[in-house]
Amino acid sequence: MKSPTENDLYHLLYQETPSLYLVLDENLVIRKINRFGSEYLGYTPYELMGKSFMSLCYHEEHEFIKQNIAICIAECTGNRRWECMRVRKDGSRFWVRDTVRVIDRGEDNKYVLISGEDISETHYLISVLEHKSATDELTGLYNRRKFDRFLEELTLSTQSASHVGCHVLLYIDLDQFKVINDTCGHVCGDNFLRRIASLFRDNIRKQDILARLGSDEFALILENCTLNKATRIAGNILKTLSMLTFEWQEQNFSISASIGGIEIDGSYQTADEYLNHADNACYLAKENGGNRFQLFDANDSDFESLDHIQHWYGRLQNALKNVDFVLYRQQILPLASSQGQGIYQEILIRLRDDNGEMILPGYFIPVAEHYHLSPRIDLWVTETLISRHRSSGTDKPVTYFVNLSGLTLGDQEFIDKVSELIRSNAREQMKICFEITETTAIRNLGAALNFIQHFKKLGCLFALDDFGSGFSSFGYLKTLPVDFIKIDGSFVQDITRDTLDKSVVQAIHQVACVFGKQTIAEFVETQDALDMLKDLGVDFVQGFHIDKPSPLSWEDQ
């Protein structure tokens, strides 16, 4: 058998390599194409000879390709690459990455060599990933990140001197979602949100930008839309919602929403300002009974009460960024010797102001709740606590009581990060007891149960805080697998003077014992109260008579 020559091998390489090889003259006329390339395009090599290369390019890219090839011919050095679409004989298109080189044969005799690689699959995968990164998986709407980008671009455009037209931002918060989600579970809640998203799509214009920002909150950008028209659109959404009933397993729920709006007219410099003002307008609509639209007006006296919320929002953002929070602790004293020699402490948080003074959580936690910053604060507290305990080297057994927001119960970032921290520190002589208020637990019963069951498997304990306040029910003690019941301090402060308070504390303790849970009495401020709680058999006490909050330190551990 005759061995192939160098020319044979070169010819085979040129003709059959799975790439598109073309030789063009300076007028972009095809002078040569390899067999694989022509067949991939649906032609014979002879059909393409003498045809314009542009006939193989997507018409919208003609100028782009011509300009780039002209630059190659003018420079006549090195390779240039770009991505574009190629067109087959049957009109179908595919993406290619072209590598272009110009060969100068002298006497103005130049040839353009193009090697094209099909990258359609790569482009498809990129488009899928871009879609996923920009889309809320549950509803198919834009997600928060993509929406923020749209709003930032629109905000920047309004700063231009040549800007014309007006736009409106709507912030939409569903009024009944928590009831539906907690009553019927997450599967029902997810179906409800998908239906609402579909309804929103049907009541807006094609060019409008609709997104789910999180949980039951949505946002809508109405480009080139007057305030009057935006008001009609918001009204149509509210009317359509009110006419519907959501049915789930023989239960019917009415539907309504609160909507806040603001005109995007260049009055503010950042997208966050517009979004915060629209959120505040939505907040005011909900405070006024819900099922209504509220337009933001900086001169409206109704918004003056929200000024402190905006102020604290900025301070909290900076505090999270600059770590201006400080951990405090307060001892929880065991009354029974059976509790052993362990240390029990509630972990408290303070915010350090510009003068070094400590701000109590009552000033900033409600704002954190409103702007959904609570999970980030709770995560910082828990991460910092575990890290500092580990680095302290203490070997004494200690139980830390950490307060959690209701929002944190469903926050996946908190769950994932804290779970990993607890697993990696399993050998430490430390236990975390998460505190959840009674009201929060009952309002978020499904999320609370899932959260408790998950972290109990990791060795965590749980306390039901402020028990007896709000709408307490002893029946929930059977449902919620908590370890401690913290008796609301309002029943403890006057326990020595009010026989009804004493009876309530005694009843709570007795029922807790039946369910195998220990009790902690809060707000113990006198020795007489302490003595009475001992007589009632309460397991732990906490309050200023026992210990006052102080900066967290391991010197006394």
Side-chain angles (χ1 to χ4, degrees):
M1 181 177 178
K2 182 180 178 181
S3 298
T5 65
E6 287 292 327
N7 280 340
D8 292 335
L9 292 174
Y10 168 77
H11 185 74
L12 182 65
L13 178 68
Y14 167 72
Q15 294 290 357
E16 305 301 337
T17 296
S19 294
L20 288 74
Y21 294 145
L22 297 107
V23 180
L24 316 179
D25 62 22
E26 291 185 73
N27 296 317
L28 307 189
V29 172
I30 300 172
R31 302 297 296 274
K32 190 72 175 176
I33 183 170
N34 67 329
R35 182 162 52 235
F36 174 87
S38 59
E39 290 176 354
Y40 202 73
L41 291 164
Y43 296 92
T44 66
Y46 301 104
E47 285 183 275
L48 290 174
M49 294 303 103
K51 292 192 67 171
S52 169
F53 172 65
M54 304 314 297
S55 65
L56 303 179
C57 301
Y58 184 46
H59 64 90
E60 292 187 3
E61 298 176 336
H62 281 192
E63 283 305 310
F64 166 79
I65 293 171
K66 286 179 181 179
Q67 290 175 7
N68 277 277
I69 292 180
I71 293 172
C72 291
I73 294 173
E75 294 179 351
C76 204
T77 57
N79 299 330
R80 294 180 68 90
R81 291 183 178 86
W82 55 74
E83 295 177 3
C84 58
M85 277 194 283
R86 197 116 306 151
V87 181
R88 295 187 179 93
K89 186 177 182 178
D90 61 8
S92 61
R93 302 191 295 267
F94 61 97
W95 280 94
V96 294
R97 180 182 293 114
D98 282 340
T99 301
V100 181
R101 185 180 183 87
V102 174
I103 304 298
D104 190 350
R105 293 296 189 183
E107 298 181 358
D108 295 326
N109 193 9
K110 295 180 180 178
Y111 292 98
V112 181
L113 309 182
I114 297 179
S115 171
E117 175 191 2
D118 187 342
I119 57 168
S120 297
E121 184 175 357
T122 302
H123 255 264
Y124 171 74
L125 292 174
I126 290 173
S127 66
V128 169
L129 290 174
E130 287 179 343
H131 178 75
K132 287 179 70 67
S133 69
T135 305
D136 173 59
E137 291 187 10
L138 178 64
T139 62
L141 305 179
Y142 288 120
N143 59 20
R144 176 65 181 264
R145 182 168 62 176
K146 185 67 173 178
F147 182 83
D148 285 346
R149 194 176 304 166
F150 278 125
L151 187 56
E152 285 170 5
E153 291 173 356
L154 196 60
T155 302
L156 284 173
S157 72
T158 61
Q159 306 301 316
S160 169
S162 60
H163 172 72
V164 293
C166 58
H167 321 291
V168 178
L169 168 64
L170 301 183
Y171 195 104
I172 309 170
D173 191 339
L174 303 177
D175 293 331
Q176 292 84 9
F177 177 68
K178 288 187 180 298
V179 174
I180 294 173
N181 205 45
D182 294 342
T183 304
C184 300
H186 290 292
V187 174
C188 171
D190 289 350
N191 275 276
F192 175 70
L193 290 174
R194 279 192 285 264
R195 181 174 179 185
I196 293 300
S198 178
L199 182 146
F200 286 162
R201 285 195 199 95
D202 294 341
N203 283 272
I204 62 175
R205 306 169 306 169
K206 289 184 178 180
Q207 69 267 34
D208 296 333
I209 305 299
L210 175 64
R212 179 185 176 216
L213 302 185
S215 186
D216 58 345
E217 296 172 328
F218 299 80
L220 177 62
I221 294 175
L222 303 170
E223 285 194 73
N224 299 313
C225 182
T226 64
L227 280 177
N228 286 338
K229 190 166 186 178
T231 300
R232 289 198 299 272
I233 291 174
N236 287 338
I237 291 174
L238 293 175
K239 182 179 179 181
T240 304
L241 284 173
S242 65
M243 294 172 62
L244 292 177
T245 300
F246 179 71
E247 299 179 5
W248 184 263
Q249 296 179 351
E250 299 182 355
Q251 294 191 67
N252 297 325
F253 298 93
S254 59
I255 304 173
S256 67
S258 300
I259 303 179
I262 186 171
E263 187 176 13
I264 304 173
D265 57 1
S267 298
Y268 301 99
Q269 301 295 313
T270 68
D272 279 347
E273 289 177 285
Y274 282 111
L275 195 61
N276 290 339
H277 290 323
D279 185 10
N280 285 338
C282 179
Y283 178 82
L284 195 59
K286 187 177 286 287
E287 287 291 297
N288 288 331
N291 193 29
R292 66 186 63 216
F293 171 63
Q294 175 70 56
L295 187 65
F296 178 81
D297 182 356
N299 299 316
D300 191 331
S301 60
D302 288 340
F303 286 94
E304 291 181 4
S305 62
L306 298 176
D307 286 346
H308 75 284
I309 294 181
Q310 298 172 22
H311 168 73
W312 276 107
Y313 174 73
R315 292 192 68 175
L316 286 177
Q317 290 280 32
N318 289 332
L320 284 164
K321 181 180 179 180
N322 302 322
V323 193
D324 291 331
F325 294 109
V326 179
L327 292 184
Y328 271 52
R329 38 75 65 200
Q330 184 179 31
Q331 181 186 5
I332 298 174
L333 179 68
L335 295 182
S337 58
S338 60
Q339 302 301 334
Q341 301 301 312
I343 298 170
Y344 300 85
Q345 296 180 342
E346 179 174 355
I347 301 302
L348 308 168
I349 189 171
R350 303 288 187 265
L351 176 61
R352 184 190 293 109
D353 68 12
D354 296 337
N355 298 318
E357 299 294 324
M358 295 300 165
I359 302 172
L360 296 175
Y363 288 95
F364 59 85
I365 289 299
V367 181
E369 291 278 335
H370 175 65
Y371 285 108
H372 291 200
L373 295 176
S374 300
R376 290 174 60 189
I377 294 175
D378 290 347
L379 179 59
W380 179 87
V381 170
T382 311
E383 286 181 328
T384 303
L385 175 66
I386 294 175
S387 174
R388 288 184 62 183
H389 177 91
R390 181 177 55 195
S391 61
S392 72
T394 181
D395 58 356
K396 295 181 181 179
V398 58
T399 301
Y400 296 112
F401 287 69
V402 178
N403 294 279
L404 294 183
S405 159
L407 298 172
T408 302
L409 302 181
D411 189 83
Q412 198 59 47
E413 181 183 11
F414 179 95
I415 294 170
D416 293 342
K417 288 187 175 181
V418 173
S419 297
E420 182 56 36
L421 267 176
I422 292 172
R423 291 189 189 100
S424 61
N425 291 275
R427 296 182 181 179
E428 298 284 343
Q429 288 277 55
M430 170 191 68
K431 275 194 176 295
I432 299 291
C433 179
F434 289 120
E435 290 193 27
I436 306 170
T437 66
E438 174 202 10
T439 304
T440 294
I442 295 173
R443 284 180 176 171
N444 304 276
L445 191 58
L449 281 171
N450 292 333
F451 188 94
I452 293 172
Q453 290 165 356
H454 172 81
F455 280 102
K456 268 191 163 292
K457 292 177 183 177
L458 299 177
C460 293
L461 303 173
F462 281 85
L464 196 59
D465 196 11
D466 296 339
F467 191 83
S469 64
F471 41 85
S472 66
S473 169
F474 288 123
Y476 285 107
L477 294 183
K478 185 176 181 180
T479 304
L480 292 165
V482 298
D483 305 278
F484 301 93
I485 302 299
K486 298 192 79 173
I487 304 170
D488 187 72
S490 63
F491 298 112
V492 177
Q493 285 176 304
D494 295 323
I495 192 171
T496 58
R497 297 187 297 271
D498 191 321
T499 55
L500 180 59
D501 284 349
K502 179 183 176 181
S503 298
V504 171
V505 171
Q506 186 175 22
I508 291 174
H509 176 68
Q510 289 174 347
V511 173
C513 289
V514 170
F515 287 109
K517 306 176 194 305
Q518 295 181 301
T519 50
I520 303 172
E522 301 180 290
F523 287 74
V524 180
E525 298 177 349
T526 66
Q527 184 62 41
D528 289 342
L530 176 59
D531 292 339
M532 183 171 287
L533 291 165
K534 281 183 180 179
D535 293 340
L536 293 176
V538 171
D539 301 291
F540 295 83
V541 288
Q542 178 182 3
F544 276 26
H545 181 69
I546 310 302
D547 183 38
K548 293 182 179 180
S550 60
L552 181 62
S553 170
W554 274 267
E555 293 177 2
D556 57 348
Q557 300 282 25

